[in-house]
Amino acid sequence: MIVVIGATGFIGMYTVDELIKAGKDVVATGRNERLGAKLEDMGARFVRLDMTKPEDFDLLPTEGVEGVLLPAGLLPANATADLEDEENAADYFEVNVVGTINALEYCRKNGIKKIISTCSYSDVSGAWGKGYAITEDEPRDFKFTGDHAVYVISKNAANDVIEYYNQQHGLQGSVFRLPPVYGVGPHGTILVNGKPYKSGIATFIDNAEAGRDIELWGDPHITRDIVYVKDVARAFRLALESDATRGLYNMTSGTSLDLEDQAKAVIEVFGKDKGSQIVYRPDKPNNTPSFLYDMSKAKRDFGFEPRFTDYVEMMRDYKAELESGRWELLEESGKAKG
């Protein structure tokens, strides 16, 4: 049996789907009861749980648990606080640190050795754009300003607490460092400093489908390392199955995605024969960072190699998932932000 905390989130829903298809018995937790019903239709047992409340963990099974997956957390894209007027540092620590401790205590008290959480790829943003693939040994180096700062600080603290439980209590805790994760979900609209904006990929797709041009601002050959949600879900399963899994793991595609190639792929898949063209705007500023992460540790410890490294193939699967209609409730869960 596997417990997924935060199963009603984007990554959580796909992870439960992966586990069920692999024949796993899954207990899925979250706070969205409509998505909870969807999870039960998929074959999981749903438990309504708030990870900041230790008493809620008493609702979970205490025997026969193979491991706990913890994709839950408070992210800047979901945080409503406008940092010009208010401060939400306590919210990040309550969810991302105290919530993680509650999950770790559940594991410790019930003899569950394996737990896998997630963290921000921005903890090493000082190494972005330096021309090498970032490994898990890269020292932390990040900005202490902006709407991502306290998120990164809280996730770093949670990572350190997981390692404390590894060494102090003999757990086999791990953390996936995630870059932007692509896939069908509630992130067509994201929050930046509490204000809603349409995400870049959603804008590209909308323009391609409508036959509108796609503008590329600044350098059209900025490269990023992103990952597809199905690869993340499969990595969770493989990591739980390996006794070598422990500590921090880059969880990316390990591939540099060129901004121009991304636009071309979206036009090919979503806007073929609709007249959408790429318009280059070097006069417009583009602050998108360039980064690449090394994936050798995940391959070594649990045999993970990403399947979706070709962006055209990723977009074809993305389109198929959209058209399947099976994630409509998940998409709708993010519309309130707009």
Side-chain angles (χ1 to χ4, degrees):
M1 179 190 306
I2 297 170
V3 174
V4 182
I5 299 171
T8 54
F10 164 51
I11 294 173
M13 293 289 287
Y14 270 91
T15 299
V16 171
D17 187 51
E18 167 74 21
L19 296 172
I20 295 287
K21 288 178 177 176
K24 302 290 186 179
D25 183 13
V26 179
V27 175
T29 85
R31 294 183 297 173
N32 186 319
E33 294 187 355
R34 290 186 70 201
L35 286 172
K38 168 74 172 176
L39 288 163
E40 292 197 326
D41 288 343
M42 290 163 58
R45 172 190 160 198
F46 178 68
V47 175
R48 194 180 192 284
L49 180 144
D50 183 336
M51 65 187 290
T52 68
K53 298 178 179 178
E55 63 271 19
D56 280 12
F57 286 81
D58 294 337
L59 302 171
L60 298 179
T62 58
E63 296 181 352
V65 179
E66 178 183 342
V68 172
L69 300 179
L70 186 62
L74 178 61
L75 286 76
N78 299 323
T80 58
D82 183 345
L83 295 186
E84 294 180 1
D85 302 315
E86 55 187 315
E87 180 53 68
N88 62 347
D91 296 336
Y92 281 109
F93 271 77
E94 182 179 16
V95 176
N96 295 340
V97 183
V98 175
T100 296
I101 292 171
N102 289 336
L104 288 164
E105 276 295 280
Y106 163 68
C107 290
R108 182 188 67 83
K109 290 175 181 177
N110 295 291
I112 303 165
K113 293 298 184 182
K114 297 181 180 182
I115 181 170
I116 306 174
S117 185
T118 64
C119 73
S120 171
Y121 70 117
S122 298
D123 63 334
V124 290
S125 59
W128 291 349
K130 292 190 174 179
Y132 59 86
I134 299 167
T135 70
E136 291 84 355
D137 294 325
E138 184 74 27
R140 289 173 180 167
D141 184 2
F142 58 93
K143 293 180 180 179
F144 281 82
T145 57
D147 69 340
H148 275 66
V150 176
Y151 168 64
V152 173
I153 293 167
S154 69
K155 280 296 191 176
N156 286 345
N159 293 358
D160 291 344
V161 172
I162 291 172
E163 184 56 31
Y164 163 75
Y165 270 76
N166 284 351
Q167 297 191 29
Q168 181 68 23
H169 298 297
L171 266 64
Q172 190 183 333
S174 307
V175 181
F176 284 178
R177 177 194 273 152
L178 296 173
V181 181
Y182 282 24
V184 178
H187 39 257
T189 298
I190 60 174
L191 299 180
V192 180
N193 283 326
K195 298 180 176 64
Y197 294 88
K198 181 163 283 190
S199 67
I201 183 62
T203 300
F204 276 18
I205 291 173
D206 285 353
N207 287 344
E209 289 182 327
R212 295 189 296 265
D213 291 340
I214 294 177
E215 290 191 357
L216 298 185
W217 294 7
D219 180 3
H221 299 297
I222 293 170
T223 60
R224 298 194 304 159
D225 186 352
I226 57 93
V227 67
Y228 194 49
V229 65
K230 288 186 178 180
D231 276 335
V232 176
R234 186 169 55 87
F236 271 128
R237 177 177 60 81
L238 292 173
L240 271 185
E241 292 171 353
S242 171
D243 288 333
T245 305
R246 183 187 174 110
L248 178 65
Y249 291 91
N250 293 332
M251 191 44 56
T252 74
S253 67
T255 304
S256 295
L257 171 61
D258 182 279
L259 181 60
E260 182 183 60
D261 290 341
Q262 182 177 1
K264 288 178 178 178
V266 170
I267 290 172
E268 178 178 336
V269 174
F270 289 93
K272 197 172 184 65
D273 302 323
K274 294 182 179 180
S276 183
Q277 301 289 326
I278 296 175
V279 175
Y280 299 91
R281 295 296 306 272
D283 56 306
K284 292 275 192 176
N286 186 345
N287 298 318
T288 301
S290 180
F291 49 82
L292 177 66
Y293 288 81
D294 181 90
M295 288 299 299
S296 57
K297 184 181 177 185
K299 180 178 180 180
R300 180 196 72 202
D301 286 0
F302 50 91
F304 174 76
E305 292 190 65
R307 291 175 178 169
F308 292 90
T309 57
D310 180 274
Y311 197 70
V312 173
E313 292 303 313
M314 185 190 297
M315 287 296 97
R316 285 176 179 155
D317 193 84
Y318 192 121
K319 188 171 187 285
E321 290 289 281
L322 276 171
E323 293 174 347
S324 74
R326 68 188 189 124
W327 303 115
E328 286 181 0
L329 278 178
L330 182 60
E331 290 181 89
E332 290 173 3
S333 68
K335 289 183 179 177
K337 291 181 294 187

